[in-house]
Amino acid sequence: MKKINLSAYQPIVDIQDHMVFANNGNVVLCYEGHLPEIYSLSEKDFEDMHGAWFQALKSLPIGTVVHKQDIYLKKSYTSEKLPNTTFLEKATHEHFKGRAHIEHKCYLFFILTKNKALNNPKYVNPFRKISKGIVQELDDTIKSFANSVSDSISFINNSRKMAFLPLQSDAILKLTSAYFNGFNEGFDTDILLDKKNINIGENHFDALAINSELCFGENVQSSKTNEKFTSDDFVFHQGFIDGLGLTLNENHIVNQILYLDDKQKWRKLLDKKIEELNKSSNFGSQNKVVLGKIQHILDQINADDNSRIIRGHLNIVYWSKEIKALDKITSKIKTEFKELDIIPYYPRGEERKNYILNSYCCFASNFSNNDLYVTDLKHALCLFINNTNYQSDTTGIIFNDREHNIPVLKDVWDKKKKRIKARNFAIFAPTGEGKSFLANNILRQYFESGVRLVIIDLGGSYTKFAKLYPEKYTVLRYESGKNLGINPFFISNKKDLTPERLEDLSVFLFELFASDMKVTKAQSVSIKKILRHYYENTPDKHSLEGFYNYIERQQKDILKTLKIHPDYFNVTSFLHVMSEYVGDGLYSFLFEVSEDQTYKIEDKRLIVFELDEVKDNKEILSVMLKLIKSAIQRTIWRNRAEKGIILFDEFAKQLKFENVLESVEFYYQAIRKQNGAIGIILQSINQLPNNSTSASILENTQVVYSLNNEKGYDELVKRLHLSSHDLNQLKSIKNNLSGARKYTEMFIKIGKESNIFRLEVPKEVYAAYLTDGQENEAIMALYEKSQNMELAIKQFTSKT
């Protein structure tokens, strides 16, 4: 047959759900695989997955054919999943559009064959006998087979590393059409077959195979060293044949076909083969090699009751529009095999045609003994590819994958709490590694997706990106001798005075008045009673000074009037301590009320508190944080339906002062009840004191970002209980800050899942995140002229 027109030779007679009835009498159960991300698996993970496959497949009925098919296609990135509304979103959308990458689809087929003995002639033309008969009814054999397969799939899915889901009829037909259409897009075509070439549309096809025990070298295993990332002090692992998967970077299909045979039958056959070879082993070294290998297989079968003898076939089908390019791909694949100590077979003519046509799922039972190696199931399963591309969530923050730098959306908010129970995050990186750049990237995307941000910053890293949203942000900057413009006592009307508000105010006052002592219930009730009395008798202009003066005027009678025992509230002590914050007190400026500025922040979605000038004054910083807390309670936490994030940047500088850690721990406790998250940024995890408060904070931090750290990651591993593979991932981080595609790499752990991601951004986004240096000064100079940050960035990037 020189030419096949698929419309005339339909391989499928009928499909019921995910069950295919083929024209040759085979029944095929079809599944699509969802595998872990490439680089996310450790040596133990590969072993565990190998074990799961073995347990799942070993008990399938004798005569079952299992066909795992991994299809890799060159594609252009469409950007359609990326947001495309704001200035920076549009720049990102455009930057990645059209980027070349590899798309991977994994399929798993279980085939119940008409030919139970699986003894085929050398060549089987899959299209010759077209069955016109009526589709088989679902008889007992098929039902029993379907149940066995269902048990196998359940076992694989319970491994929690992989998920195989039924492939529905439209997807099966689409796959069939694509396969026999040579993966040409936009038109239907014929398959042209001759001795020299296999041609489907514009594509020229070729194949390499492992079809005999002689192809294998000394041993195979579930994983091997990944040379690209392994260094002197750590070993990074990859699946045994991963080099023939995504990283091959070509259009190709990896077909792994297993014939689950009768163990006893093969034991007898092997015994017979050994007997024959023993007689002829003197006639040549090749016979001795074969004899040794077969003896080894037989010894394994006899020694292991769990062994499952199989015949197997592995082939790689690949194609290109240019015939010359095929030779290069052949050479690449051979090199990969050589590294595995495997010598592939290069089929030509009729053989090649046979391999390509029969690697379609309905025809995978058509291989003959000459096309199959004999081995134990455990051995064959080492040749499975168990990982795939980086997986995008439906929504999330854009990072980039490690293969092609294409965007990957990671849902680090996790609304449904599938991966994490607390969405708080921490960023760890030494100075100069880009932690502010990363924080800008995360916060900007959160902000543009509707999340409200409060940033407590000691370094001035966020005002530039904030200026892109002139109506939506406010920066409250502490300047020496001036107040921050927050009046915790302000209420717009009496309805504002809720029990929660009184509770917050009482906590605020006790933090100022008695920060070093534990507050009793009696004291708390007392201060709330006094607060209510103050508001009931003071119609307007509420403030700390007003409250202080009110108590001072009433100090003789107030406790008696409110039935408060003097032991519960010491008026004299309260007035003495608080005098520092009112009138001509040392810190009275902090609470001066010219106008309450809270109205400025209640309607803003991006609020930056810049406390750079205050970072060395323990008392002022402590009061500032208390004021900020009262502002957050009145804004961010006013509406629980609204998402909010509080970020503490340059956190280590804030931690120099006692009570700051406890104050932050309060946020961690309170955020649980809110629709929010807290972020902290540290140069090193050692900057967090090793105490129970820090332990509580780290326990509630389930999203971890770490950039490159030349000093190592030992403390990070120890205190965050990271795995050995997490450490290997951290050690494999490499940045590329030169060339056309600049990027930094970072480790991201979301709950129990971890991987290395890249951050590559378009020049407009890069300009928006810069926080210092000449380039930043140039952009700010342009901004000063126009007072329009978007225009300033456009002007700057047009020159670069």
Side-chain angles (χ1 to χ4, degrees), residues 413 415 423 452 500 504 632-644 669-677:
W413 189 266
K415 186 179 176 183
R423 52 182 68 103
R452 200 168 195 172
E500 288 83 7
D504 292 342
I632 287 169
Q633 283 161 336
R634 290 162 61 184
T635 55
I636 293 285
W637 290 351
R638 193 179 51 174
N639 176 3
R640 286 194 182 181
E642 187 177 44
K643 294 178 183 175
Q669 300 299 332
I671 206 91
R672 290 176 185 176
K673 299 169 193 167
Q674 312 295 333
N675 193 9

Side-chain angles (χ1 to χ4, degrees), residues 431-457:
T431 302
E433 288 293 342
K435 54 184 179 291
S436 291
F437 195 92
L438 173 59
N440 268 286
N441 184 59
I442 295 166
L443 294 177
R444 188 269 296 179
Q445 292 183 60
Y446 266 137
F447 175 74
E448 292 186 337
S449 68
V451 179
R452 200 168 195 172
L453 305 181
V454 173
I455 301 169
I456 301 156
D457 182 24

Side-chain angles (χ1 to χ4, degrees), residues 466-474 604 783 787-789:
K467 285 181 166 66
L468 281 166
Y469 317 96
E471 304 300 315
K472 295 177 182 173
Y473 84 96
T474 186
K604 303 294 183 187
Y783 172 75
Q787 291 298 302
N788 181 322
M789 186 53 77

Side-chain angles (χ1 to χ4, degrees), residues 133 171 181-182 207 210 263 319 326 334 337 435 504-505 524 539 546 559 563 566 664 771:
N181 207 40
I210 298 171
K263 184 173 176 176
W319 62 94
L326 276 183
K334 281 182 175 174
F337 273 127
K435 54 184 179 291
D504 292 342
L505 268 176
S524 176
L559 298 183
K563 297 177 182 173
V664 172
T771 53

Side-chain angles (χ1 to χ4, degrees), residues 208-384:
L208 281 164
I210 298 171
N211 64 347
S212 155
E213 307 86 69
L214 295 173
C215 294
F216 294 106
E218 280 302 303
N219 60 352
V220 297
Q221 57 226 37
S222 56
S223 68
K224 67 183 276 284
T225 301
N226 179 320
E227 301 298 344
K228 184 178 173 186
F229 296 122
T230 295
S231 178
D232 292 344
D233 61 337
F234 73 99
V235 177
F236 204 96
H237 280 85
Q238 65 180 54
F240 190 65
I241 69 159
D242 278 3
L244 298 165
L246 275 175
T247 53
L248 193 65
N249 217 8
E250 300 290 350
N251 284 314
H252 70 292
I253 303 172
V254 179
N255 291 295
Q256 170 74 317
I257 299 164
L258 308 177
Y259 287 32
L260 302 179
D261 285 318
D262 180 351
K263 184 173 176 176
Q264 302 311 323
K265 172 186 148 187
W266 276 100
R267 192 178 268 161
K268 285 172 193 166
L269 274 170
L270 289 170
D271 279 335
K272 197 174 175 188
K273 240 180 179 182
I274 286 170
E275 199 180 311
E276 285 168 7
L277 282 165
N278 267 324
K279 288 174 188 170
S280 61
S281 62
N282 298 330
F283 294 110
S285 57
Q286 184 66 14
N287 283 356
K288 282 183 181 171
V289 172
V290 177
L291 175 65
K293 291 199 175 187
I294 293 174
Q295 187 66 57
H296 179 64
I297 293 165
L298 193 60
D299 290 346
Q300 276 186 311
I301 294 166
N302 291 332
D304 185 358
D305 286 339
N306 269 335
S307 71
R308 175 74 199 258
I309 199 78
I310 62 117
R311 283 176 297 158
H313 175 88
L314 173 75
N315 70 50
I316 295 164
V317 174
Y318 48 99
W319 62 94
S320 172
K321 286 185 180 177
E322 307 293 325
I323 282 195
K324 287 178 185 173
L326 276 183
D327 292 338
K328 284 185 187 169
I329 303 172
T330 304
S331 173
K332 266 169 94 170
I333 295 170
K334 281 182 175 174
T335 303
E336 287 297 333
F337 273 127
K338 193 174 182 183
E339 287 198 11
L340 302 174
D341 195 18
I342 292 174
I343 301 163
Y345 168 69
Y346 193 17
R348 313 299 289 163
E350 196 72 16
E351 193 94 65
R352 176 170 54 191
K353 181 178 82 177
N354 188 48
Y355 283 6
I356 291 172
L357 292 180
N358 287 319
S359 291
Y360 168 66
C361 60
C362 290
F363 306 147
S365 61
N366 285 347
F367 291 100
S368 74
N369 262 346
N370 295 337
D371 307 311
L372 301 164
Y373 57 83
V374 181
T375 188
D376 180 68
L377 177 59
K378 285 179 182 171
H379 178 284
L381 290 172
C382 290
L383 306 183
F384 269 23

Side-chain angles (χ1 to χ4, degrees), residues 320-564:
S320 172
K321 286 185 180 177
E322 307 293 325
I323 282 195
K324 287 178 185 173
L326 276 183
D327 292 338
K328 284 185 187 169
I329 303 172
T330 304
S331 173
K332 266 169 94 170
I333 295 170
K334 281 182 175 174
T335 303
E336 287 297 333
F337 273 127
K338 193 174 182 183
E339 287 198 11
L340 302 174
D341 195 18
I342 292 174
I343 301 163
Y345 168 69
Y346 193 17
R348 313 299 289 163
E350 196 72 16
E351 193 94 65
R352 176 170 54 191
K353 181 178 82 177
N354 188 48
Y355 283 6
I356 291 172
L357 292 180
N358 287 319
S359 291
Y360 168 66
C361 60
C362 290
F363 306 147
S365 61
N366 285 347
F367 291 100
S368 74
N369 262 346
N370 295 337
D371 307 311
L372 301 164
Y373 57 83
V374 181
T375 188
D376 180 68
L377 177 59
K378 285 179 182 171
H379 178 284
L381 290 172
C382 290
L383 306 183
F384 269 23
I385 290 175
N386 285 325
N387 54 36
T388 188
N389 288 307
Y390 280 63
Q391 297 300 295
S392 271
D393 297 318
T394 41
T395 60
I397 303 296
I398 300 167
F399 300 101
N400 303 91
D401 80 348
R402 210 174 187 180
E403 278 302 297
H404 308 280
N405 286 22
I406 60 166
V408 180
L409 288 163
K410 277 292 156 190
D411 182 3
V412 285
W413 189 266
D414 201 5
K415 186 179 176 183
K416 293 180 179 171
K417 298 193 174 177
K418 288 181 183 175
R419 286 188 284 226
I420 48 175
K421 291 184 173 61
R423 52 182 68 103
N424 307 319
F425 64 92
I427 297 174
F428 300 101
T431 302
E433 288 293 342
K435 54 184 179 291
S436 291
F437 195 92
L438 173 59
N440 268 286
N441 184 59
I442 295 166
L443 294 177
R444 188 269 296 179
Q445 292 183 60
Y446 266 137
F447 175 74
E448 292 186 337
S449 68
V451 179
R452 200 168 195 172
L453 305 181
V454 173
I455 301 169
I456 301 156
D457 182 24
L458 298 183
S461 302
Y462 302 93
T463 40
K464 185 138 130 278
F465 113 71
K467 285 181 166 66
L468 281 166
Y469 317 96
E471 304 300 315
K472 295 177 182 173
Y473 84 96
T474 186
V475 176
L476 296 173
R477 184 179 288 109
Y478 171 76
E479 292 173 55
S480 186
K482 292 185 182 176
N483 70 356
L484 202 57
I486 297 171
N487 175 7
F489 286 78
F490 173 81
I491 58 169
S492 49
N493 58 59
K494 286 277 168 72
K495 285 180 187 171
D496 281 358
L497 204 65
T498 59
E500 288 83 7
R501 189 64 193 281
L502 283 168
E503 199 71 56
D504 292 342
L505 268 176
S506 71
V507 170
F508 173 74
L509 285 166
F510 273 118
E511 281 179 339
L512 283 179
F513 160 54
S515 59
D516 55 348
M517 61 183 247
K518 186 147 178 66
V519 179
T520 65
K521 179 75 174 169
Q523 289 171 314
S524 176
V525 170
S526 305
I527 199 94
K528 281 182 278 189
K529 276 187 171 182
I530 297 167
L531 278 165
R532 277 183 75 182
H533 199 254
Y534 162 66
Y535 278 104
E536 281 163 8
N537 292 285
T538 311
D540 55 14
K541 294 187 178 171
H542 307 108
S543 66
L544 177 63
E545 185 154 15
F547 181 60
Y548 177 91
N549 292 337
Y550 180 77
I551 293 177
E552 193 176 39
R553 287 195 304 273
Q554 308 268 338
Q555 60 184 301
K556 286 182 184 173
D557 308 316
I558 195 162
L559 298 183
K560 202 173 181 182
T561 308
L562 297 174
K563 297 177 182 173
I564 298 169

